[in-house]
Each structure stands twice: as structure tokens, then as C-alpha cells.
Amino acid sequence: PMDWPERLQRSLLKIAPRGLTQVNTLMCGSCSNENAFKLAFMHAASVRRGGLPPSAEDMSSAMAGEAPGRPRMAILGFEGAFHGRLL
């Protein structure tokens, strides 16, 4: 049906935790995990900045892969292991 996205959103929000007002569907479990990790990192960075938006220095250093825009953070890592590339 043409209104599939709206139907899906309405259905999921009916069973969502109280206060949740948005739904983000993704293609697969890997995509979902990757996005969850990114959101966790973004939240941690926001807390570290005291709720302030990223500074110009944060943004430019993140693009270069350097601190302060790209702090040393990890979810889990194994030396010598490879399980594919996500992030």
C-alpha cells in the first residue's frame, strides 16, 4: 500500500515506550546496531560537552579523525579478530 510507512509508524508507536514519538526503521540488524552505537557515541559526546552543540573545532577535528571531535571511544574490540566493517 502507498501509506505503508505511515501504517508502520502508527503500529510501532502504539506499542512503543511512553514518551517515544519517533520511529526509525532500518534495513537489517547490522544497520540497527551501527546506528545504536552512533547514537550512544553522540549522546556521550553531548553529555561531555554539557549539552552544548559541537563547536567548530569539534566538527573540523572529527572530519580529520582527531580529538576533540573524535574522542577515543569503543563499544567492544578484539585483537586480531574480524567480523566485518560497519562503523
Side-chain angles (χ1 to χ4, degrees), residues 3-85:
D3 64 341
W4 174 248
E6 293 80 16
R7 283 183 178 191
L8 181 60
Q9 181 175 7
R10 278 193 311 271
S11 298
L12 292 174
L13 287 176
K14 283 180 183 176
I15 60 170
R18 189 177 321 125
L20 188 66
T21 61
Q22 297 180 1
V23 174
N24 181 24
T25 57
L26 299 164
M27 293 296 291
C28 63
S30 294
C31 299
S32 299
N33 286 323
E34 181 177 0
N35 276 271
F37 296 152
K38 287 179 181 180
L39 286 171
F41 288 156
M42 289 167 53
H43 176 71
S46 177
V47 169
R48 207 173 23 258
R49 290 190 310 268
L52 297 173
S55 67
E57 182 184 17
D58 288 331
M59 298 299 282
S60 64
S61 61
M63 294 307 292
E66 300 170 352
R70 193 205 143 270
R72 292 180 52 95
M73 293 175 59
I75 297 291
L76 179 65
F78 294 97
E79 255 184 66
F82 181 79
H83 294 281
R85 284 187 174 46

